[in-house]
């Protein structure tokens, strides 16, 4: 690859943060409420354990093979055939997951704002915009995230503060009425979002602050866990037992913000904020998919595959589900299982094999002799 390391650890963390939080802020409250009920706000804490494990595995593998992504070093750990299978599984899930994300984006925009706009137009426009960003390179993507993500965080924090008058503490009582089992069940689907930190594997080769990498990864998971916990808690305190009955419960809770019949109906601000986060998330997934595909095919440049992959993403966004109801059902029943299996257990499998083959003491020496991408 012609890319060279030129993003900082902070930029890397800022890029991955919306990967976990964006789209989860709309769907996770309702999904966790159906399992954990009043204790839904505790489920992201349990789900984040998957994120911590994935971060640890990705960074340990990066120490052994610096300058390479999981698509590249998998063949060096388990051989060409099985390594290609592992790489293909990761790439297919990146394609499928991003197709799901894009479909969620399209359904939300059409269902909440652009009622008469064809879904294909909404989806095609965001994919084209993300394709232009991805072709500009990882540095442009990092700087874009560095500008927009803090704005999104500030706006969301402001919305949470404005929701305080509508919150009722009674909605979260009694706590732990049915024990911890419902909380763990509620964490099953959200853990799929936390396992998406595997995208660090595609960004680490371009990180100039290698010593800060692990710390940044852990901070990113903690920040995402706190964000989802606050979103779940605020939604519960506003809507109470009605959370599980709504598809976009957090968005519904925000619509209840009203001050003296003057400051209300801030839907456009909410949608603009959410679209910005979704744009960053889709772009980071898109970049990892394009870079990984080029590495899998042993191409010298990833940019030629961006537009073909963009077309595939549009196709997959419609292929994943026929309608919003089926899409929500698929996410609740599949994401926790499929995404976690591929994004967490494949790195775990590779790490265990690497420990067995190379041993812990050979990590440093092996890393020094590992060639970096051109």
């Amino acid at each position: 690859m012609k890319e060279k390391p030129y993003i900082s650890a902070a930029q890397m963390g800022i890029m991955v943060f919306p990967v976990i939080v964006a789209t989860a802020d709309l769907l996770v409250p309702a999904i966790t409420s159906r399992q954990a009920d009043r204790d839904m706000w505790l489920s992201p804490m349990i789900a984040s354990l998957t994120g911590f494990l994935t971060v640890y595995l990705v960074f340990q593998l990066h120490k052994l093979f610096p300058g390479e992504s999981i698509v590249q070093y998998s063949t060096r750990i388990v051989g060409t055939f099985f390594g290609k299978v592992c790489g293909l599984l990761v790439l297919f899930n990146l394609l499928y997951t991003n197709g799901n994300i894009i479909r969620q984006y399209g359904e939300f925009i059409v269902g909440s704002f652009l009622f008469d706009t064809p879904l294909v137009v909404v989806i095609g426009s965001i994919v084209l915009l993300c394709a232009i960003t991805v072709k500009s390179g990882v540095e442009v993507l990092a700087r874009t995230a560095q500008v927009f993500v803090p704005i999104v965080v500030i706006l969301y924090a402001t919305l949470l503060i404005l929701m305080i008058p509508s919150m009722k503490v009674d909605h979260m009582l009694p706590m732990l009425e049915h024990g911890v089992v419902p909380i763990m069940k509620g964490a099953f689907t959200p853990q799929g979002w936390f396992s998406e930190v595997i995208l660090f594997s595609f960004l680490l080769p371009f990180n100039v602050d290698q010593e800060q990498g692990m710390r940044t990864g852990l901070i990113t998971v903690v920040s995402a866990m706190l964000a989802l916990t606050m979103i779940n808690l605020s939604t519960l305190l506003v809507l109470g037992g009605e959370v599980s009955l709504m598809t976009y419960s957090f968005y519904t809770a925000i619509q209840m913000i009203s001050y003296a019949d003057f400051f209300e109906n801030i839907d456009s601000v909410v949608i603009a904020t959410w679209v910005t986060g979704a744009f960053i998330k889709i772009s980071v997934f898109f970049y990892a998919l394009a870079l990984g595909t080029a590495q899998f095919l042993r191409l010298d440049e990833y940019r030629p595959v961006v537009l073909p992959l963009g077309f595939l993403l549009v196709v997959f966004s419609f292929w994943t589900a026929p309608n919003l109801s089926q899409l929500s059902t698929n996410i609740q029943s599949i994401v926790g299982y499929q995404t976690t299996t591929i994004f967490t257990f494949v790195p775990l499998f590779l790490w265990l094999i690497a420990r067995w083959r190379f041993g812990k003491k050979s990590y440093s020496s092996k890393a020094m002799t590992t060639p970096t991408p051109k």
Side-chain angles (χ1 to χ4, degrees):
M1 295 297 165
K2 296 182 180 180
E3 296 278 7
K4 294 182 179 180
Y6 43 58
I7 63 174
S8 66
Q11 288 177 320
M12 186 173 61
I14 290 173
M15 292 169 69
V16 176
F17 174 79
V19 167
I20 305 174
V21 178
T23 69
D25 53 0
L26 291 180
L27 299 174
V28 163
I31 292 174
T32 53
S33 176
R34 290 164 193 157
Q35 299 292 336
D37 198 21
R38 297 183 185 89
D39 298 319
M40 56 180 284
W41 62 281
L42 296 171
S43 291
M45 300 181 187
I46 304 297
S48 66
L49 297 177
T50 300
F52 289 119
L53 174 60
T54 307
V55 165
Y56 175 80
L57 295 172
V58 167
F59 278 85
Q60 290 301 314
L61 287 167
H62 176 70
K63 288 181 181 179
L64 183 58
F65 301 105
E68 297 183 8
S69 73
I70 189 172
V71 174
Q72 294 172 304
Y73 58 62
S74 59
T75 58
R76 303 179 62 179
I77 295 174
V78 294
T80 302
F81 177 76
F82 290 106
K84 289 292 185 180
V85 171
C86 291
L88 191 60
L89 284 173
V90 172
L91 291 176
F92 177 80
N93 205 49
L94 286 174
L95 178 64
Y96 178 84
T97 303
N98 207 13
N100 252 335
I101 296 166
I102 293 168
R103 181 60 178 273
Q104 294 170 47
Y105 166 87
E107 291 285 357
F108 177 70
I109 295 300
V110 172
S112 304
F113 195 62
L114 303 178
F115 305 104
D116 298 323
T117 305
L119 184 61
V120 66
V121 174
V122 175
I123 288 177
S125 61
I126 190 64
V127 171
L128 179 60
L129 179 61
C130 293
I132 294 172
T133 306
V134 169
K135 290 194 72 172
S136 299
V138 68
E139 184 179 28
V140 172
L141 180 55
R143 291 180 177 178
T144 302
Q146 192 173 9
V147 171
F148 287 114
V149 172
I151 296 175
V152 171
V153 172
I154 292 173
L155 288 175
Y156 264 107
T158 303
L159 291 172
L160 291 176
I161 294 174
L162 293 175
M163 291 166 65
I164 291 177
S166 301
M167 296 180 183
K168 297 180 180 179
V169 179
D170 292 343
H171 288 161
M172 64 182 295
L173 300 175
M175 295 175 56
L176 299 174
E177 182 181 10
H178 303 290
V180 298
V181 175
I183 300 173
M184 297 180 68
K185 290 182 178 179
F188 179 74
T189 299
Q191 72 179 357
W193 271 276
F194 281 97
S195 67
E196 292 171 358
V197 293
I198 193 178
L199 294 182
F200 275 120
S201 174
F202 297 91
L203 301 176
L204 278 169
F206 311 118
N207 173 31
V208 296
D209 301 331
Q210 297 292 334
E211 295 182 358
Q212 298 294 326
M214 173 70 82
R215 180 182 177 184
T216 299
L218 296 176
I219 291 175
T220 301
V221 175
V222 171
S223 300
M225 180 267 290
L226 292 175
L228 291 182
T229 299
M230 293 304 299
I231 288 172
N232 273 18
L233 181 59
S234 61
T235 305
L236 172 66
L237 294 179
V238 172
L239 300 179
E242 298 180 359
V243 176
S244 61
L245 304 177
M246 305 173 184
T247 302
Y248 304 128
S249 52
F250 181 59
Y251 177 62
T252 303
I254 291 176
Q255 289 179 310
M256 298 180 69
I257 294 176
S258 177
Y259 286 86
D261 296 327
F262 172 73
F263 187 79
E264 56 185 5
N265 298 326
I266 56 175
D267 298 29
S268 58
V269 177
V270 176
I271 292 175
T273 303
W274 186 84
V275 166
T276 303
F279 161 69
I280 299 297
K281 177 170 185 171
I282 295 170
S283 297
V284 175
F285 261 96
F286 200 164
Y287 177 79
L289 176 62
L291 182 64
T293 300
Q295 293 170 343
F296 185 85
L297 299 175
R298 296 184 179 275
L299 302 178
D300 292 330
E301 179 63 56
Y302 77 89
R303 288 177 176 85
V305 304
V306 171
L307 291 181
L309 287 175
F311 175 77
L312 275 179
L313 286 172
V314 174
V315 172
F316 264 74
S317 69
F318 285 94
W319 175 75
T320 53
N323 50 57
L324 177 59
S325 177
Q326 186 61 48
L327 178 65
S328 300
T329 301
N330 290 346
I331 291 173
Q332 183 171 351
S333 59
I334 295 177
V335 168
Y337 173 77
Q338 174 183 314
T339 307
T340 304
T341 299
I342 296 178
F343 285 168
T344 298
F345 288 103
V346 168
L348 176 60
F349 167 75
L350 293 174
W351 179 71
L352 290 174
I353 297 298
R355 285 289 301 271
W356 174 67
R357 289 191 60 189
F358 306 115
K360 186 175 181 180
K361 293 183 180 180
S362 62
Y363 274 30
S364 298
S365 60
K366 186 70 177 177
M368 293 175 61
T369 60
T370 304
T372 58
K374 296 181 180 180

